[in-house]
Amino acid sequence: MLIHTARQLPTALALLKLDGAVRRMALAPPDLTSAQLDAAIVQAGIDTLITDDLAPRAGVQVVPCSSDLCPRLDRPQALFDTEWVLFTSGTTGAPKLVSHTLPGLIGPIGAASGGAVWSTFYDVRRYGGLQILLRALLGGGSMVLSDIAEGVGTFLARAGAAGVTHISGTPSHWRRVLISGHAARIDPAYVRLSGEIADQAVLDRLRAAYPAARISHAFASTEAGVAFDVTDGLAGFPAAWVGAGGPVELRVAGDTLRIRSARTATAYLGAAASLADADGFVDTGDIVTLRGDRYHFLGRVGGVINVGGQKVHPEEVEAALHAHPAVLAARVRARSSPITGAIVAADVVVEGPADEALCGAIKAACRAQLAPHKVPALLRIVPALDVLPSGKLARLNA
Amino acid sequence: MTIRSIVLTQITEVAAEHDKQLAPLTDSLPLLDSGLDSLCLAVIVARLEDELGTDPFSSADNDTFPVTIGDLVAMYESVAA
């Protein structure tokens, strides 16, 4: 079955009904196109579409997603070990379908936090949001859902009024909160970041905004599951975790982080590519580098800007920009060059007056930290940066 | 400002940003001897494209690479004309 609804709550209710009652259950993210939906139906062998859009669709039975969904299955015992199928965020190309088991999905979830009120900037149909929904369900807490069409100030006011205690999002989501001027509308005990690199600047700014909160950045992906949580307030993670064994094993090979655990997805559906290597490790595609006794994330394989043959990871330059006190958010992109193939360009959201002097100061701060080819050759001050429905910064290639 | 002064200003500013020692700028000075490296030149070309709205290096009717400072100035003057 594939669950495809406009709003999050009907999907959340449907998956509670359907887990254990169906062989396979795919959760469609809200921004799935009609063509992607058709492709997913074929790839995942879907025979039934649970939906609030009742238009007939080739190859599947269409069933309304309503509160009386399969009432007979309120549920003496599970009939199946239901496969949970999630879509990757598809930052590059079409989303992939990734198969999980419920034990794998709830593997990272520790003891219940009594009385917690959960919330997340993620949609609960994505891995990051589903983790929070499952925490709320298993812990007996309650949850405030976000709405992609809602402004960040309105959402924070609603979350604050509901007494949200535990809240998660990407670093891009959190930068939006800090930029909005409405950060104080919530008073969380626990702040979680995942899905993108958490640099020191965003961790420090969240610490300043929420001095009493536990602030944790998790490494997780739809394919690799939750690998670890870093709770010491520092960017990166301790190098000693690599090769240390335990339920989640980390390995660094070919510069990328690889993960083996019972929490990783079991397979890609409908694709020839295998998820794990011969040893059972999933390659995250995230490039890490050792600095002192910690590994730091540099960027994604495939995201590299080539400046005259020298590699630049956009995220590394963004971290340098974020370190400047006036820079609230930054996006680094390639600009094509007839001389070096590409050069580094940056768009930044700043606090205070945007003038030539500030641009010069930001560039000078970058030059003090970065090799010359990594320093943004062009720096543009913009009012805001786009964030994709997945919560990740919208990257574009000029 | 003339095209010439805009180009020479960018050369001076980029060289300063990159801590490059510029030779005295004359029309006959070879780019290779100017103190600018290829990264500096790439930055100059990109900023001039933003400032003047044109990139003579990428235009189809230009297949010669400038050798001297004077060539570089002339390239911009010819596309701006």
Side-chain angles (χ1 to χ4, degrees), chain A residues 202-225:
Chain A
V202 75
L203 294 171
D204 290 348
R205 285 172 188 180
L206 284 170
R207 166 59 59 225
Y210 305 114
R214 283 186 294 130
I215 296 172
S216 158
H217 59 102
F219 181 85
S221 76
T222 310
E223 288 97 330

Side-chain angles (χ1 to χ4, degrees), chain A residues 83 90 122 246 261:
Chain A
E83 257 182 77
Y122 285 110
S261 83

